[in-house]
Amino acid sequence: MSTIQPLTANKAFNVNALRASCSACSMHQLCLPMGLGESEINRLDEIIGRRRKIPKDGLLYRIDDTFTNLYAIRLGHFKTFQLTPNGEQQITGFQMAGELLGMDAISTDRHHCDAVALEDSEVCEIPFARLEELFGSIPTLLHHFHRMMSQEITREQNVMLLLGNMRAEQRFAAFLVNLSARYAARGYSSTNFQLRMSREEIGNYLGLTIESISRLLSRFKKQSLLRVSNREIEILEPAHLKAIAAGTESCD
Amino acid sequence: MSTIQPLTANKAFNVNALRASCSACSMHQLCLPMGLGESEINRLDEIIGRRRKIPKDGLLYRIDDTFTNLYAIRLGHFKTFQLTPNGEQQITGFQMAGELLGMDAISTDRHHCDAVALEDSEVCEIPFARLEELFGSIPTLLHHFHRMMSQEITREQNVMLLLGNMRAEQRFAAFLVNLSARYAARGYSSTNFQLRMSREEIGNYLGLTIESISRLLSRFKKQSLLRVSNREIEILEPAHLKAIAAGTESCD
DNA sequence: CGTTCTTTTGATGATGCTCAACTGGGGTGG
DNA sequence: CCACCCCAGTTGAGCATCATCAAAAGAACG
């Protein structure tokens, strides 16, 4: 059998597969459909456009693109970044499956950052105008959407705290603890995971240089807090790492 | 006539005055009612609880208070701050008339920061549950609310950029430029205004120490960018200040 | 297997913090 | 009214943290 044959035979099926189905999505407990009944989920499904694949390093949207869709990450990881007035990038967040992209664009109908896939990824396109129409008849959905926006505000406040108040070691520990918690919430190991972003991207996000990140990794490794191999992380002492993140303890 | 007499005579009027009236509020073009028709504004007015006065240094809400109301600032200035894990405060924002407080609390039904008045201030209490009910029948209101939340996300991203990427001088210039623009949007002078917050609070917000702020003020003063007297600021060279904020130019 | 990009490690230096002393404005009480 | 105090802010000196620069080592890719 050639490889073409099955593709053709299953065309109808594949077109179907391109439509997102929230109920079948493993992320629906974290994402917009959370708390909805079956019929409500179906109504949400109806407005969700297509599922879109974004290859590694692919651009989901770009600063100043007109805003029409929110994007729910189905699979993969993204980074969002702004450009500073003088042209360098500042990463404002790393997003993973179940999280929503594009909420910062609502205010001006233009995107305020670029969103780039850190690995091959998939998103669901959610036409925002139609979503707002749905809100009128599904209060639960509206309320949960507000929670998600509010959560984004909270997340950013935590980053402000991190950037404004913490020393390098504490920032990086907090970063790892945060990743760990988010993977745990998704049913993955909280101690073993792969960094999807480069050292440089981590440094950029944390307001540090790539060299500082590298040195911190070496230090944590030497203290047997972590085992590190390239982008593979194993947290050996979660409690101690949390203590460093909290500023209770330091790693000298 | 005694001073008591009119107060008693006007009791009904005064009770009325305690109810907020959006249409009569000078901030309604910046605040929630933006873009609403008259009858819609009236419906919004109906759900808005009372107008509340908060004296200087008074607490509007505190971390972990249960969330029931958003607050629209009618008059005055506030700061919001979180506590770092080890107990010191990090200011996450300075808010002025027309801005909305409390949106970060929606996600968990508890406030994530303290809000304290920087001077004698007045807020309108907006019961969030009732506001969400209104959204069902006033799509314009809903959409504008989303814009306001989105704007808050954008604002915080700008702070992240500031804290993650900028040197001290640039941060402080950006801070002043930002205040200047916000006063201008409210019809006040963009070049002459009073800082409502202490040097220490500015430093805390910008991730710098009070000494650094003081030195920067002196430097800007010496370069005739500013005239400064205590908390009174006069921006003498707005363009140059913006250039410094943008990182285009420095003030050596 | 060489080329290229990412990461690590080392040496040096600047930015902004810490500590300390001093100034000045505003309020209080003698 | 003046002396005093207290707090916020200013200024200076030394130092720590982290950035910068440089070079080498290690992964990834064709």
Side-chain angles (χ1 to χ4, degrees), chain A residues 15 39 59 88 93:
Chain A
V15 167
S39 81
L59 203 59
E88 17 188 3

Side-chain angles (χ1 to χ4, degrees), chain A residues 166-192:
Chain A
M166 299 184 183
R167 331 225 107 272
E169 176 182 284
Q170 209 181 342
R171 289 186 203 184
F172 186 55
F175 172 75
L176 292 173
V177 168
N178 174 276
L179 281 184
S180 162
R182 283 156 80 195
Y183 285 124
R186 281 158 184 75
Y188 298 120
S189 167
S190 66
T191 54
N192 293 67

Side-chain angles (χ1 to χ4, degrees), chain A residues 9-229:
Chain A
N10 286 332
K11 201 169 198 178
F13 171 78
N14 282 331
V15 167
N16 249 356
L18 278 179
R19 293 200 58 83
S21 160
C22 289
S23 36
C25 175
S26 66
M27 285 301 134
H28 77 282
Q29 276 309 321
L30 289 170
C31 191
L32 266 181
M34 196 201 102
L36 296 187
E38 193 172 337
S39 81
E40 294 164 332
I41 292 200
N42 290 338
R43 287 207 280 156
L44 178 58
D45 269 342
E46 272 170 36
I47 70 155
I48 291 182
R50 50 194 177 119
R51 192 191 303 175
R52 204 167 128 195
K53 290 183 195 276
I54 312 284
K56 180 167 155 65
D57 296 325
L59 203 59
L60 180 57
Y61 53 77
R62 176 193 299 268
I63 294 184
D64 278 334
D65 280 357
T66 64
F67 165 68
T68 47
N69 300 302
L70 293 175
Y71 300 94
I73 304 177
R74 230 181 134 72
L75 200 105
H77 288 72
F78 285 80
K79 68 171 171 179
T80 49
F81 57 93
Q82 290 194 295
L83 293 185
T84 64
N86 56 67
E88 17 188 3
Q89 76 176 48
Q90 163 72 30
I91 295 175
T92 52
F94 298 111
Q95 295 81 15
M96 52 178 75
E99 295 173 347
L100 226 46
L101 281 166
M103 293 185 290
D104 57 321
I106 298 171
S107 62
T108 57
D109 288 326
R110 306 212 156 263
H111 284 283
H112 284 217
C113 57
D114 287 20
V116 166
L118 294 174
E119 61 186 331
D120 291 354
S121 301
E122 273 182 49
V123 299
C124 298
E125 235 175 49
I126 309 172
F128 184 62
R130 302 196 61 188
L131 184 65
E132 269 193 328
E133 286 166 21
L134 256 199
F135 287 152
S137 58
I138 314 184
T140 314
L141 178 63
L142 176 59
H143 188 66
H144 185 59
F145 176 66
H146 289 160
R147 291 175 94 100
M148 289 187 85
M149 286 201 91
S150 173
Q151 200 166 32
E152 176 67 10
I153 292 175
T154 302
R155 182 192 73 77
E156 288 179 2
Q157 283 177 355
N158 287 330
V159 178
M160 288 174 59
L161 189 146
L162 179 147
L163 292 173
N165 252 307
M166 299 184 183
R167 331 225 107 272
E169 176 182 284
Q170 209 181 342
R171 289 186 203 184
F172 186 55
F175 172 75
L176 292 173
V177 168
N178 174 276
L179 281 184
S180 162
R182 283 156 80 195
Y183 285 124
R186 281 158 184 75
Y188 298 120
S189 167
S190 66
T191 54
N192 293 67
F193 51 85
Q194 207 193 47
L195 298 174
R196 320 296 162 120
M197 64 296 284
S198 68
R199 308 278 194 270
E200 179 156 30
E201 288 165 329
I202 297 173
N204 181 302
Y205 178 61
L206 297 178
L208 301 168
T209 58
I210 179 176
E211 293 95 331
S212 295
I213 300 299
S214 186
R215 277 182 246 273
L216 285 165
L217 269 173
S218 303
R219 185 138 113 233
F220 285 0
K221 205 158 52 174
K222 194 177 294 174
Q223 305 297 121
S224 326
L225 283 171
L226 302 176
R227 197 168 297 153
V228 185
S229 154

Side-chain angles (χ1 to χ4, degrees), chain B residues 166-169 207-209 211-212 215 230:
Chain B
M166 298 183 182
R167 332 224 107 270
E169 176 182 282
L208 301 169
T209 58
E211 292 95 332
S212 295
R215 276 183 247 274
N230 301 324

